[in-house]
Amino acid sequence: MEKEKKKKSHFPFRLNFLFFSVFLLFSILILRLGFVQIVYGENFKRDLERKEGITVSNPVPRGKMLDRNYRVIVDNIPKSAITFSNEGFTLTEMLETAEKLGKLIDKNTDKLTDKNKKDYWIIKNPKQADAKITREEKELFAAKKLMDQDLYKLKLERITDADMNLSKEELEAAAIFREFTSGYKFTSQLVKNENVSDGEYAVVSENLESLPGVDTTTDWERSYPFDYTLRSVLGKVTNSDEGLPADQLDYFLARGYSRNDRVGKSQLELQYEEVLRGYKTKVKNVTDKAGRVIESRPVSDGQKGKDLVLTIDMDLQKAIDQIIEEELWAAKKMPGTALTDRAYVVLMNPFTGEILAMSGKKIVKDSSGRKAMEDDALGTFTTTYNVGSTVKGATVLTGYKTGAITPGTLFDDAGIKIKDTPLKKSYAYLGRLNEIQALKKSSNVYMFHTALRIGNAHYEYDQPLNLKNLQAFETIRNSFASFGLGTRTGIDLPNEQTGFKGMSRLPGYLLDLVIGQYDTYSAMQLAQYVSTIANGGYRMQPHVVKEIRRPASGTEELGSVAQEISPVVLNTIDAKKEWLNRVQTGFRKVMQEPGGTAFKFFEGAAYAPAGKTGTAEAFYDGPLRSRFGEIPPSVMNLSLVSYAPSTNPEVAMAVLVPWAFQGDEDNKANLKIGRRVLDTYFQLKNR
C-alpha cells in the first residue's frame, strides 16, 4: 500500500514540473518578444520599409557648330522616339511588355541573332526549355556539379529549328525584348528612334499605363545644312547602337558616361566632346526593398552642349571646294595625269592662326564604278608629300642662321656632280645669282651650295662628297621645324601627321632635303611655314575653333561667349629682321616681277601677292600602288605657298597637288588653283 501511494504522489509532481517549465519558457519568449518590439521594433520597421535612391542621367542634345559668320554648320534634328527603362522588372515581365509593345509599333528585326531568338524562346516557353534538361543533369545541378550557366548553355544547344519557327509578331517582340535587355537598370534605352510614325507615337503614348518602363520622348540626330562640305573635318558621332567606342570605354565610363551614350568618334566631334556633350538631366529613382521604383525625384536639370563657332568661312570653303574640283577634272584631261587624283588648299590668317578654309578633294569610284569627287579636307593635315622648292625660304634663312651664307652671297648655278651620281642642277642654267634671285628663279644649285656649307663639305666636280658636319641633317630639320615643317603644327584636331623623314645620311640626300625632295610635309605645315615668313617670324598655332558659346536660352539665336580662343605663338624663329626682309623680297619677286616662277599666273593681281612655287620629283604611293612592281612609278608633285598683300598680309595660302603629272608636260595645277583661290578670297572680302 505504501509503494502504491508513493507512485501516485510522484506523478502529479512531474506534471506540475512540466507545466511550470512550459510556463517559464513562454514567459521568457513573451519577455524576449516584448524586448525586441520595444528596443528594435523601429529598426525592423525601417528595414521593411527600406528605400534606396539611385541617380540616373538622361542625355541632352549636343551643341551646334557654326562658321565664323554664325551660320549653322552642324545642328540637331529632333525626332520621335520610344524608350524603355528597366525599373527592376523580371525577364518575364519585360517579355510581356515587349509583346504588348510589338502589337503597337513596327520593329525592324534585321539585328536579331540566333542567340537573341533562343533567349526569347527560353523565357517565353519555360516548361519546354526545362524539358531540354535530362534527369541526370538536374541531379548534377542539385548536387552543385552543374551551375545555372551550364544548364542555360545546354538549353541553347538543344533548341531545334522547329522550336525557332517564330511568327512575324514574335520576331518583333524578340527584337523589342533585345533592346529592353541591352541596357542597364534604370537607364533609358532607345527601343525605336528611326521612322517612328505619328500614329505609333500617339498609340504608345495612350497606352503607357499598360506598358511599364516604356516612354515616348524626343531624340535627336546630327544634321548638316551645308551637306558634305567640310564633313570629314566636322567628324562623326556614334549612333545609339554603337554607344561608347570599345577602345575608349574605360575613359568615358570614368567620366560619367553610360555605355549606350552617343559620343564624338572623330575629328571636331571627338576633339571637343567635353564641350559639345552638355550636362545630363539627373533623376533619382527611389526603390523599395524589392528594387521596384516607387518614386522619381529630379536632382538637376540638364543643359544642352555648348556651341562651337569655327574660324571657317563656309562661303569661302564652298568656293574653294568648287575650284579644286574644276581644276582637278580639267587636269585629268591633260597627258600624264592617270595617277592624279587629289589636291589640297589651306587658307590661314598669318597673325592669328585662324583657318579660314581647309579644302581637300579626291577622285574616287562610286558604287556604280564611276569616278566621283569626295571631300578630303582631312588630308590637309593627315597626309604628307614631297613638296619641292616651296621650302627654299626656310633653306635660305637656315643658311643665314648657321653662317653658311650672308645677305648677298653669290653662287654660280652650274650643276653639282657627285661621283657615280647624276648631275644635280636647276631646271635651266640661271647664271651667277644671290639668294633673292635664287628664290625668284627657284635655283636648286644655290640651295645645294648652302647645304654643302652647312655640312662643311669640300666639293669637287665628279668627286666623292663627304660631310664633315655629321649633324647637318639635324641642323636643317630642326631649323625647318621652327617654321612648322616636319613637325606637328598644333592644330586643334586629332591624328595630325608630321611626315616622313628620310633615314639615309648620304650627302646627296642632304642636297635633296634643302629643295623639298627628301622629307614630306602636309598642306597645313606649308600654311604655317609661309605664315611664319609673312608675319615676321612668329610660328602661330593653327586652329579651327574661334569661340565656345553657351547654349542659347529662350528666343536667343546665339548664346553668350564662354571662351574665346586666343592666338598662340608656338615659337619665334631665330632670324634677324634684315634676313626676313630679304626672303620676303625674294617671295615678292616670284609673283610680281617678270622672270619670277609664278609671275605669268599672278601678273596684274591687285592684291600684290608674294610666295614660292614648288615642283618635286617623287614616287607614287597612292591607292593604285599595288598595280605596280617593287619600284613605284615616278611622279611630279606641285605646290605653292603665298600670302597677300605682300606688305601687311592678311591671308596665307598653301596649295598642294600630289602626283600632279608624269613626264615633262607640267599642267601647272598648283598655279591655276592658287590664282583662283586668292582671287576668290579678295572678291568675297570686298563683297
Side-chain angles (χ1 to χ4, degrees):
M1 291 291 292
E2 290 180 1
K3 289 181 179 180
E4 290 179 1
K5 286 181 180 179
K6 285 181 181 179
K7 287 180 181 179
K8 288 180 181 178
S9 61
H10 188 66
F11 180 75
F13 173 77
R14 288 182 176 179
L15 187 63
N16 289 336
F17 182 78
L18 178 63
F19 285 152
F20 177 76
S21 299
V22 171
F23 171 76
L24 186 62
L25 289 172
F26 269 104
S27 298
I28 294 172
L29 180 62
I30 291 169
L31 286 172
R32 181 62 181 169
L33 289 173
F35 178 79
V36 169
Q37 184 175 0
I38 293 169
V39 178
Y40 296 111
E42 287 299 318
N43 291 344
F44 287 122
K45 184 178 179 182
R46 280 194 295 270
D47 283 343
L48 287 171
E49 297 176 353
R50 181 163 56 96
K51 299 176 182 178
E52 185 176 356
I54 300 174
T55 302
V56 296
S57 300
N58 297 323
V60 294
R62 291 176 74 79
K64 298 183 291 187
M65 297 187 200
L66 306 94
D67 82 342
R68 65 184 301 111
N69 298 312
Y70 304 110
R71 289 170 298 181
V72 176
I73 303 173
V74 183
D75 204 350
N76 302 307
I77 294 180
K79 58 180 183 178
S80 299
I82 298 168
T83 63
F84 175 80
S85 297
N86 181 4
E87 299 174 355
F89 307 118
T90 65
L91 291 175
T92 302
E93 289 171 331
M94 286 193 282
L95 182 61
E96 291 174 357
T97 302
E99 289 178 333
K100 290 179 184 178
L101 184 58
K103 296 176 181 178
L104 303 179
I105 66 173
D106 290 326
K107 176 64 178 175
N108 190 301
T109 61
D110 293 345
K111 295 178 182 177
L112 273 178
T113 64
D114 285 341
K115 185 177 180 301
N116 295 148
K117 297 174 186 177
K118 289 179 179 181
D119 286 339
Y120 171 81
W121 186 88
I122 289 173
I123 298 169
K124 185 174 175 61
N125 304 283
K127 291 182 179 179
Q128 293 97 312
D130 286 340
K132 303 285 185 184
I133 305 301
T134 65
R135 181 181 297 178
E136 291 78 9
E137 289 164 345
K138 290 178 180 178
E139 290 174 354
L140 290 171
F141 176 74
K144 296 186 178 180
K145 293 183 179 179
L146 287 178
M147 308 302 292
D148 285 325
Q149 192 66 20
D150 299 320
L151 297 186
Y152 169 69
K153 289 180 179 178
L154 290 171
K155 290 176 184 179
L156 288 179
E157 292 171 359
R158 293 167 184 174
I159 294 174
T160 65
D161 292 339
D163 294 329
M164 297 295 292
N165 188 22
L166 304 178
S167 66
K168 179 179 181 295
E169 291 75 16
E170 288 175 318
L171 288 173
E172 287 189 341
I176 294 172
F177 180 72
R178 173 185 177 273
E179 303 294 352
F180 282 8
T181 56
S182 61
Y184 287 89
K185 198 173 181 180
F186 305 118
T187 300
S188 180
Q189 188 74 15
L190 284 168
V191 177
K192 184 176 181 179
N193 65 341
E194 297 291 341
N195 304 316
V196 177
S197 68
D198 293 340
E200 288 177 327
Y201 192 85
V203 72
V204 173
S205 298
E206 292 169 0
N207 290 274
L208 290 178
E209 289 186 4
S210 63
L211 298 168
V214 176
D215 198 6
T216 50
T217 185
T218 300
D219 193 27
W220 54 267
E221 67 177 356
R222 284 308 220 186
S223 66
Y224 303 89
F226 287 87
D227 201 16
Y228 288 99
T229 303
L230 205 64
R231 183 77 70 87
S232 63
V233 170
L234 299 176
K236 296 180 180 179
V237 177
T238 60
N239 58 41
S240 54
D241 289 331
E242 292 175 296
L244 301 181
D247 59 340
Q248 296 176 292
L249 185 62
D250 293 339
Y251 172 86
F252 284 115
L253 290 177
R255 284 157 178 77
Y257 286 78
S258 300
R259 287 178 181 265
N260 63 338
D261 280 349
R262 283 169 289 179
V263 298
K265 65 178 181 180
S266 63
Q267 300 317 313
L268 278 172
E269 294 279 16
L270 172 62
Q271 186 77 11
Y272 287 90
E273 167 64 25
E274 292 296 323
V275 174
L276 293 166
R277 67 176 288 205
Y279 299 98
K280 296 181 177 181
T281 302
K282 291 189 176 180
V283 177
K284 178 176 283 188
N285 289 323
V286 182
T287 65
D288 59 17
K289 189 176 181 181
R292 301 276 185 169
V293 176
I294 59 176
E295 185 182 357
S296 293
R297 302 171 184 167
V299 175
S300 62
D301 293 331
Q303 186 181 66
K304 66 168 289 189
K306 294 184 177 70
D307 298 332
L308 298 182
V309 179
L310 306 188
T311 60
I312 304 290
D313 181 332
M314 287 304 280
D315 282 341
L316 182 61
Q317 178 74 33
K318 286 176 63 179
I320 295 175
D321 282 355
Q322 184 175 352
I323 290 169
I324 294 179
E325 286 192 22
E326 291 172 356
E327 292 298 337
L328 265 181
W329 288 129
K332 291 294 287 182
K333 297 177 181 178
M334 300 181 69
T337 58
L339 300 177
T340 308
D341 71 344
R342 64 193 65 190
Y344 303 102
V345 172
V346 174
L347 286 187
M348 176 176 169
N349 183 317
F351 289 94
T352 66
E354 292 181 359
I355 301 299
L356 307 177
M358 49 189 304
S359 180
K361 287 292 179 178
K362 184 164 58 176
I363 298 173
V364 297
K365 287 188 177 181
D366 60 19
S367 56
S368 65
R370 296 180 179 177
K371 290 182 178 179
M373 200 71 71
E374 181 179 82
D375 173 63
D376 191 29
L378 207 60
T380 57
F381 64 94
T382 61
T383 60
T384 63
Y385 309 91
N386 298 118
V387 299
S389 299
T390 46
V391 306
K392 288 176 178 175
T395 300
V396 169
L397 286 164
T398 303
Y400 289 147
K401 184 167 61 175
T402 58
I405 60 172
T406 57
T409 296
L410 298 171
F411 290 120
D412 190 274
D413 195 58
I416 299 288
K417 180 67 173 71
I418 303 172
K419 186 175 178 59
D420 298 326
T421 65
L423 182 69
K424 303 177 79 68
K425 59 187 180 63
S426 302
Y427 58 90
Y429 176 65
L430 303 175
R432 191 169 176 81
L433 31 68
N434 63 22
E435 74 280 18
I436 293 177
Q437 294 167 322
L439 290 172
K440 173 184 174 180
K441 298 180 179 181
S442 198
S443 167
N444 287 343
V445 176
Y446 193 97
M447 308 304 151
F448 295 157
H449 282 293
T450 301
L452 291 174
R453 288 192 175 186
I454 294 173
N456 194 17
H458 176 70
Y459 168 70
E460 290 186 22
Y461 189 86
D462 203 22
Q463 294 298 312
L465 182 66
N466 293 311
L467 301 175
K468 293 181 181 178
N469 177 11
L470 300 179
Q471 296 300 312
F473 280 93
E474 284 67 31
T475 298
I476 294 170
R477 282 174 173 152
N478 290 339
S479 178
F480 277 24
S482 70
F483 294 90
L485 296 172
T487 188
R488 284 187 171 84
T489 65
I491 190 170
D492 52 341
L493 288 166
N495 305 316
E496 181 181 12
Q497 299 299 306
T498 59
F500 170 80
K501 291 179 173 60
M503 301 298 293
S504 174
R505 291 296 187 271
L506 291 175
Y509 289 125
L510 186 71
L511 308 188
D512 292 337
L513 177 63
V514 294
I515 62 169
Q517 296 194 162
Y518 194 39
D519 292 357
T520 64
Y521 312 109
S522 68
M524 190 64 64
Q525 290 176 352
L526 290 179
Q528 187 180 57
Y529 149 68
V530 75
S531 292
T532 304
I533 291 175
N535 66 30
Y538 301 95
R539 184 165 77 100
M540 306 303 301
Q541 181 177 4
H543 58 99
V544 295
V545 174
K546 182 181 177 69
E547 297 171 346
I548 298 173
R549 286 184 172 261
R550 298 178 182 88
S553 59
T555 58
E556 292 180 346
E557 293 184 2
L558 202 62
S560 58
V561 176
Q563 181 183 351
E564 187 170 352
I565 309 302
S566 301
V568 175
V569 179
L570 297 177
N571 63 267
T572 303
I573 61 170
D574 182 15
K576 296 179 181 179
K577 186 176 181 180
E578 176 194 1
W579 299 347
L580 276 167
N581 287 341
R582 290 184 71 82
V583 171
Q584 290 169 350
T585 299
F587 276 24
R588 177 178 57 78
K589 290 177 177 290
V590 167
M591 306 186 96
Q592 294 185 36
E593 282 192 5
T597 53
F599 175 72
K600 290 182 179 179
F601 282 85
F602 286 88
E603 182 180 4
Y607 43 81
K612 185 73 190 72
T613 58
T615 304
E617 297 178 9
F619 291 101
Y620 178 72
D621 191 27
L624 304 179
R625 175 66 183 85
S626 60
R627 296 184 181 181
F628 305 98
E630 183 178 345
I631 301 176
S634 60
V635 290
M636 304 298 285
N637 297 343
L638 296 177
S639 64
L640 173 69
V641 294
S642 178
Y643 55 88
S646 53
T647 55
N648 300 318
E650 60 183 73
V651 63
M653 175 184 71
V655 180
L656 184 53
V657 187
W659 321 315
F661 65 95
Q662 293 174 276
D664 299 324
E665 192 165 341
D666 187 348
N667 54 43
K668 307 291 184 182
N670 56 333
L671 295 167
K672 294 173 183 176
I673 291 172
R675 175 62 194 254
R676 290 185 63 185
V677 166
L678 285 182
D679 284 352
T680 300
Y681 169 82
F682 285 101
Q683 287 167 6
L684 289 175
K685 174 198 169 187
N686 294 332
R687 187 181 69 184

